[in-house]
Amino acid sequence: MTKGGLGIAAMSYVAIDYMRYVSPVWHSRLMPVLWSVLAIAVVTRVLFYKHWSKELRAAIPFLGSIVFLLCALLFEALCVRSVTAVLGLDWHRETPPLPDTGQWFLLALNESLPGTLVEILRAHIIGLHHFLMLFIMLGFSVVFDSVKAPGLGLGARYIFTMGVGRLLRAITFVSTILPSARPWCASARFNNVPYQPHRWAQKYYVPYANDPAAIRKLLHWDAAYADPGSYIGDYRADWGSMSFLSEFLRPSYSEGSSWFALLKKAGGGCNDLMYSGHMLVAVLTAMAWTEAYGGFSSAMIWLFVAHSAQREIRERHHYTVDCIVAIYVGILLWKMTGFIWSAERKTKQTKLEKIQNSLIHAAKDGDIETVRRLVEEIEVSSRVEKQSKVISNRTMTVFACATVITTLTIVILALTLTSDG
């Protein structure tokens, strides 16, 4: 693993998973074999892992990062549904996509590049679940000493950075509503959203949307002067203490039984969501891999990031600007969260190491009294360490078993839930 085995395992995973499109039979045979080999390798190495104390210290930040990410995802889901519903289905149907030079460029390349290369660019080589699984493989590689411990520290940084990125993304796309690059999306996925705009949009947007003279007058008066007429009301869901969300989510009668069930239908939304969440995950995985492991495999992962970006644009899941912004936001956010885990950061000296260093200096200076005092401190520290080691060994064993079982369970669930790509 330390000499390139992780990179081979990662590329093997991507190649074998792509076989679902080339040979589904061989894919169904080889994928279980690959994961069985990797799982056995991890379990056998766990027995000799020496950094469980570091993992224990990183467990609380790791769990805190998970809670933070879940809160960020909840906020993002609220924003996704809100920006899709606020202008109504008629706006989604009638508003054309924005002009995107990246899409033009890719269409031009289709005409000039060899057909084989165009098919490679179109191929579904790598997706969101691949980048997530590649990071899980990177995190588990701490047991092979190919990545600096603690693995939970690396995971905490990755999850926390993703949570910050998701919050910034939601704030960005909810600020200015952009039309989807796929105009039919809202009608296909959100057919229960009201056709008319929200009453705020009826008052502050609709009267001025297509009239330059009205916009000039609006700028001059700096007040919503137009009479919007009688408002078309919305259904108000009874969600108890969460009923205030009905104002933003605009549920219909048929889908208004639970606000949480409504959010689960949001998915990626049907507006252009600046910036791409898929690309954020891809860039964070590439940044983590580059810093923690490096080598030729990190270059391959950056190529996967580029391939994924052009597919997002080619298939009109996002505009080009969404992918470009996601790339530099992901890079900058990763650079800013090095305080959680860093491959370059030195570990702090233990108390015993500090005393030993002081003892060496005192011996060189011939200070006998200081030497005697430091030797007594070393003896006391050694006795305390031996006493705590009995307790910590039991704690570490329980913690190690719980960590391995939990993480392997999560991986198995992830593999099962993403088995269809």
Side-chain angles (χ1 to χ4, degrees), residues 55-94:
E55 301 291 349
L56 182 59
R57 287 194 293 271
I60 293 178
F62 179 76
L63 295 174
S65 298
I66 291 177
V67 173
F68 174 67
L69 176 61
L70 292 175
C71 293
L73 291 173
L74 176 61
F75 176 71
E76 184 185 47
L78 288 166
C79 293
V80 166
R81 170 71 187 204
S82 178
V83 298
T84 300
V86 68
L87 289 171
L89 279 184
D90 286 342
W91 180 85
H92 288 279
R93 290 171 177 169
E94 298 167 1

Side-chain angles (χ1 to χ4, degrees), residues 40-50 52 140 143 400-401 404:
I40 292 170
V42 169
V43 170
T44 54
R45 287 288 298 187
V46 161
L47 301 174
F48 306 101
Y49 187 54
K50 301 177 181 178
W52 285 115
F140 270 103
V143 300
C401 293
V404 172

Side-chain angles (χ1 to χ4, degrees), residues 55-56 58-59 61-62 139 142 150-157 341 399 403 407:
E55 301 291 349
L56 182 59
F62 179 76
V142 293
L152 291 180
L154 174 61
R157 180 179 178 183
W341 180 96
F399 174 72
T403 302
T407 48

Side-chain angles (χ1 to χ4, degrees), residues 80-219:
V80 166
R81 170 71 187 204
S82 178
V83 298
T84 300
V86 68
L87 289 171
L89 279 184
D90 286 342
W91 180 85
H92 288 279
R93 290 171 177 169
E94 298 167 1
T95 306
L98 300 174
D100 189 348
T101 54
Q103 293 170 359
W104 306 346
F105 177 69
L106 290 174
L107 290 173
L109 285 181
N110 290 348
E111 299 172 355
S112 57
L113 292 176
T116 304
L117 186 54
V118 172
E119 289 303 317
I120 292 174
L121 292 175
R122 291 171 176 167
H124 291 215
I125 296 174
I126 193 159
L128 176 64
H129 67 288
H130 291 111
F131 288 110
L132 293 172
M133 294 307 300
L134 286 173
F135 179 78
I136 290 175
M137 294 171 69
L138 181 69
F140 270 103
S141 67
V142 293
V143 300
F144 299 94
D145 292 327
S146 55
V147 171
K148 178 185 172 183
L152 291 180
L154 174 61
R157 180 179 178 183
Y158 183 81
I159 294 171
F160 178 78
T161 309
M162 193 181 298
V164 174
R166 290 290 185 176
L167 277 179
L168 293 177
R169 176 179 185 247
I171 293 170
T172 302
F173 70 67
V174 81
S175 301
T176 301
I177 300 174
L178 302 175
S180 173
R182 293 183 164 199
W184 62 88
C185 176
S187 298
R189 294 177 54 191
F190 293 90
N191 56 345
N192 289 320
V193 167
Y195 289 91
Q196 76 279 1
H198 188 276
R199 57 186 176 85
W200 296 343
Q202 291 178 41
K203 180 177 180 180
Y204 299 114
Y205 170 73
V206 174
Y208 318 101
N210 300 308
D211 187 352
I215 295 176
R216 282 182 175 274
K217 198 178 293 185
L218 178 69
L219 291 173

Side-chain angles (χ1 to χ4, degrees), residues 253-269:
Y253 178 78
S254 61
E255 60 181 1
S257 59
S258 167
W259 65 271
F260 188 72
L262 186 68
L263 289 183
K264 288 197 294 184
K265 299 177 183 178

